[in-house]
């Protein structure tokens, strides 16, 4: 039964960002517009967080989750039929249906940050990494479907002309598959709330749902039991001792943890996604698709590693954050140098940009999981604030990048087939 709960938690996690990630891989030509649309939807988590802070207990996660997942499923269904429709605005056709439904999906996924993970706090802590694994798969599964679809695959015809190959199946079917994934999330959540095993295993670990976060020092810890009894694995070899599950962190430590959450999410959800095409396309279509797909695979892989090799060492998490920031800096530098980045015509350049994106995503994904696990051991409220800080970091990164990409034209797009760069 515990294995079944793990499976349900994983499927439930896939619904957190699968819809928006699906839009990313299906419509990669609008990264900054999608980013700003997603961040405008932060009104959802903002409202929920304010209600949680000033009216604790007024609104629980369960009805909100049912509502947002149902809306996400319906929006994906509507996208399948309405995505190509335009409306005249100021004499010009605009994709009002697409961006309107994209906003609805963004509202769903952003709100999941402050509802899905706090709901998982009601279950045993061992299910939290499984949830993050599902969250990682929410990017990987749409990427796999896009690879099977073959959309956007190009070749150089007549040496300098880019020729795009026909897709294997339509955008209509792609959005229907997204709707099926959201429906699976809804079904998994229904069984999670009904399955007796999920609650019998976690009865003693249930976090109260009406805790107010007045002070980080006042956050109560609980003592969750991991499968097999005893304490969770403390650290990787050589990473140093970690605080016990029920330890009280200082205000400075909590500030460091939440700063990590904000910084990591600003990079992974706001800043770098806006420039992935600029950093990869100068190396060719294959490099771009490999970086997008393999980095999507790095996310669930990092979550799996966190399940079997968890480490609560803040020194290790800080080091991984620095390493991920370094890889992100390289990716950003290549985007700035577009359309003629370093080692553009060399196989080493192609390999390095793909590897950099994979390591960037993987290292920061591990930090996301472990900060969530640490805060889960503190309280339900700590996870609500985790989601709020996560969205705040994402919003800050998106607002920073939007004018640089769309207003000032700081980044230059590249056509690999017609590039004429110095050797």
């Amino acid at each position: 039964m515990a294995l079944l709960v793990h499976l349900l938690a994983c499927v439930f996690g896939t619904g957190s960002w699968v819809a928006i990630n699906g839009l990313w891989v299906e419509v990669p030509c609008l990264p900054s517009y999608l980013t700003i649309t997603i961040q405008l939807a932060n009104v959802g988590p903002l409202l929920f967080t304010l209600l949680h802070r000033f009216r604790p207990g007024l609104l629980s996660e369960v009805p909100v989750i049912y509502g947002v997942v149902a809306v996400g499923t319906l929006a994906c269904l509507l996208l399948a039929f309405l995505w190509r429709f335009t409306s005249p605005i100021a004499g010009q056709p605009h994709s009002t249906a697409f961006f309107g439904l994209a906003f609805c999906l963004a509202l769903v996924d952003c709100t999941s940050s402050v509802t899905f993970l706090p709901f998982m706090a009601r279950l045993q802590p061992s299910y939290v990494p499984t949830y993050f694994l599902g969250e990682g798969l929410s990017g990987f599964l749409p990427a796999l479907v896009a690879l099977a679809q073959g959309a956007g695959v190009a070749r150089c015809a007549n040496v300098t002309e880019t020729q795009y190959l026909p897709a294997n199946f339509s955008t209509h079917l792609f959005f229907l598959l997204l709707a099926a994934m959201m429906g699976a999330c809804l079904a998994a959540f229904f069984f999670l709330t009904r399955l007796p095993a999920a609650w019998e295993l976690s009865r003693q670990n249930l976090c109260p749902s009406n805790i107010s976060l007045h002070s980080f020092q006042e956050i109560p810890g609980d003592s969750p039991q991991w499968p097999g009894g005893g304490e969770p694995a403390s650290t990787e070899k050589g990473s140093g001792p970690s605080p016990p599950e029920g330890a009280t962190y200082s205000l400075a430590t909590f500030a460091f943890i939440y700063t990590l959450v904000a910084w990591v999410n600003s990079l992974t959800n706001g800043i770098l996604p806006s420039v992935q095409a600029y950093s990869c396309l100068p190396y060719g279509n294959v490099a771009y698709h490999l970086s997008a797909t393999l980095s999507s695979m790095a996310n669930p892989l990092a979550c799996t590693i966190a399940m079997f090799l968890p480490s609560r060492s803040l020194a290790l998490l800080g080091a991984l954050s620095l390493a991920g920031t370094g890889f992100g800096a390289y990716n950003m530098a290549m985007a700035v140098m577009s359309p003629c980045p370093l080692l553009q015509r060399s196989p080493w350049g192609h390999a390095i940009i793909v590897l950099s994106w994979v390591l960037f995503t993987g290292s920061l994904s591990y930090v996301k999981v472990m900060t969530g696990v640490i805060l889960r051991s503190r309280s339900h409220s700590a996870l609500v604030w985790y989601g709020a800080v996560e969205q705040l970091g994402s919003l800050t990164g998106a607002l920073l990048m939007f004018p640089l990409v769309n207003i000032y034209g700081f980044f230059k797009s590249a056509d690999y087939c017609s590039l004429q760069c110095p050797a």
Side-chain angles (χ1 to χ4, degrees):
M1 293 302 291
L3 181 61
L4 176 59
V5 177
H6 276 290
L7 177 61
L8 292 174
C10 183
V11 175
F12 174 57
T14 61
S16 56
W17 286 95
V18 70
I20 287 300
N21 286 329
L23 292 184
W24 275 110
V25 298
E26 187 69 2
V27 194
C29 56
L30 299 171
S32 54
Y33 284 98
L34 281 177
T35 299
I36 204 66
T37 300
I38 293 167
Q39 302 313 321
L40 288 174
N42 276 300
V43 62
L46 175 62
L47 178 60
F48 185 87
T49 304
L50 290 175
L51 286 174
H52 172 80
R53 174 63 181 85
F54 296 105
R55 298 294 298 275
L58 178 65
L59 190 63
S60 71
E61 296 90 8
V62 174
V64 175
I65 292 173
Y66 272 122
V68 297
V69 178
V71 168
T73 305
L74 178 60
C76 287
L77 281 173
L78 291 176
L79 266 176
F81 300 95
L82 303 177
W83 70 273
R84 63 170 66 245
F85 283 78
T86 59
S87 301
I89 299 178
Q92 297 293 327
H94 292 272
S95 301
T96 50
F98 175 82
F99 281 106
L101 291 171
F103 177 80
C104 292
L105 292 177
L107 189 65
V108 170
D109 291 359
C110 289
T111 305
S112 75
S113 296
V114 293
T115 54
F116 281 28
L117 193 54
F119 168 78
M120 291 303 300
R122 300 166 180 255
L123 305 182
Q124 268 205 329
S126 59
Y127 297 127
V128 173
T130 307
Y131 165 81
F132 276 109
L133 173 61
E135 190 173 282
L137 290 173
S138 71
F140 178 56
L141 293 178
L144 280 184
V145 175
L147 278 179
Q149 184 186 28
V153 176
R155 65 181 180 185
C156 295
N158 299 324
V159 182
T160 60
E161 180 184 350
T162 301
Q163 183 181 60
Y164 287 92
L165 305 180
N168 296 322
F169 55 85
S170 66
T171 302
H172 170 80
L173 180 56
F174 182 90
F175 286 129
L176 288 179
L177 291 174
L178 280 187
M181 295 179 196
M182 290 299 297
C185 170
L186 184 61
F189 179 66
F190 173 81
F191 287 112
L192 274 178
T193 58
R194 296 293 190 276
L195 196 65
W199 301 100
E200 289 172 2
L201 288 172
S202 59
R203 184 173 300 164
Q204 295 180 350
N205 304 305
L206 186 64
C207 293
S209 60
N210 58 353
I211 298 173
S212 296
L213 194 61
H214 298 297
S215 168
F216 287 129
Q217 288 104 326
E218 296 174 4
I219 298 176
D222 50 25
S223 301
Q225 300 172 355
W226 285 56
E231 295 296 324
S234 56
T235 60
E236 296 180 21
K237 184 177 180 180
S239 63
S242 60
E245 187 82 22
T248 301
Y249 289 117
S250 67
L251 176 61
T253 302
F254 268 107
F256 175 73
I257 293 172
Y258 280 106
T259 299
L260 279 185
V261 173
W263 176 248
V264 166
N265 282 280
S266 69
L267 292 178
T268 57
N269 298 339
I271 296 177
L272 269 302
S274 299
V275 299
Q276 185 170 20
Y278 297 102
S279 70
C280 297
L281 280 177
Y283 294 97
N285 191 264
V286 173
Y288 173 68
H289 279 275
L290 281 176
S291 65
T293 305
L294 294 180
S295 61
S296 296
M297 292 175 63
N299 192 319
L301 178 60
C303 297
T304 304
I305 293 173
M307 291 175 63
F308 295 100
L309 297 173
S311 174
R312 296 169 183 246
S313 169
L314 296 184
L316 175 63
L317 297 183
L320 286 175
S321 298
L322 285 176
T325 301
F327 293 122
Y330 178 83
N331 299 336
M332 178 63 71
M334 297 306 101
V336 171
M337 296 174 68
S338 176
C340 298
L342 297 175
L343 301 173
Q344 182 187 24
R345 296 296 182 182
S346 168
W348 286 104
H350 297 207
I352 290 172
I353 193 64
V354 173
L355 184 63
S356 180
W357 272 100
V358 170
L359 294 176
F360 163 76
T361 304
S363 57
L364 297 188
S365 295
Y366 185 90
V367 175
K368 286 183 184 181
V369 175
M370 292 315 303
T371 50
V373 170
I374 291 171
L375 293 173
R376 187 264 170 240
S377 68
R378 306 278 69 79
S379 74
H380 171 278
S381 232
L383 285 180
V384 174
W385 285 99
Y386 172 95
V389 173
E390 176 185 33
Q391 292 305 117
L392 178 62
S394 303
L395 174 62
T396 303
L399 291 179
L400 173 66
M401 294 305 298
F402 185 81
L404 295 178
V405 174
N406 295 287
I407 298 177
Y408 300 109
F410 193 74
F411 301 93
K412 306 298 181 184
S413 60
D415 187 339
Y416 181 77
C417 295
S418 60
L419 283 175
Q420 295 182 354
C421 295

